[in-house]
Amino acid sequence: LKPVNIGINGFGRIGRLVMRAAQNDPMVNIVAVNDPFIPVNYMEYMLEFDTVHGRFPTEVKYTGDNEITVGGKPITVFGEMDPSNIAWGSAGADYVVEST
């Protein structure tokens, strides 16, 4: 079996919980996130310092306007209002979790 590559549409509470759950499963890779309302540097902050769940267990880094790195793995970030306009496959996503 090979790991499945996932995109997350919406990076509020639910999207960040999906990210946390995926970090504990070696068969799931998060490869992309879309949220048009959250700047990428704030995505990094919200994931790293969660007031309910505590600090994220691996390193989270803002690496550019279209990317964060989580646990050393790059994650493409989109800011598209209409997720049907996103080429999720360009980031390697096999499936997209709707979490808006």
Side-chain angles (χ1 to χ4, degrees), residues 9-86:
N9 186 50
F11 207 58
R13 171 68 55 202
I14 295 169
R16 292 192 312 275
L17 287 175
V18 170
M19 178 77 77
R20 282 180 175 270
Q23 292 305 303
N24 297 324
D25 190 337
M27 295 304 288
V28 177
N29 292 323
I30 302 296
V31 296
V33 171
N34 178 56
D35 198 308
F37 304 110
I38 304 173
V40 180
N41 60 338
Y42 194 56
M43 282 184 181
E44 172 211 19
Y45 177 81
M46 288 192 317
L47 183 61
E48 187 173 3
F49 302 104
D50 191 292
T51 57
V52 174
H53 300 285
R55 286 191 77 148
F56 199 74
T58 62
E59 183 180 50
V60 181
K61 292 174 84 175
Y62 167 74
T63 51
D65 289 338
N66 297 316
E67 185 179 275
I68 60 173
T69 302
V70 177
K73 296 178 183 176
I75 297 174
T76 303
V77 177
F78 299 102
E80 178 62 50
M81 289 291 288
D82 183 354
S84 67
N85 292 332
I86 298 171

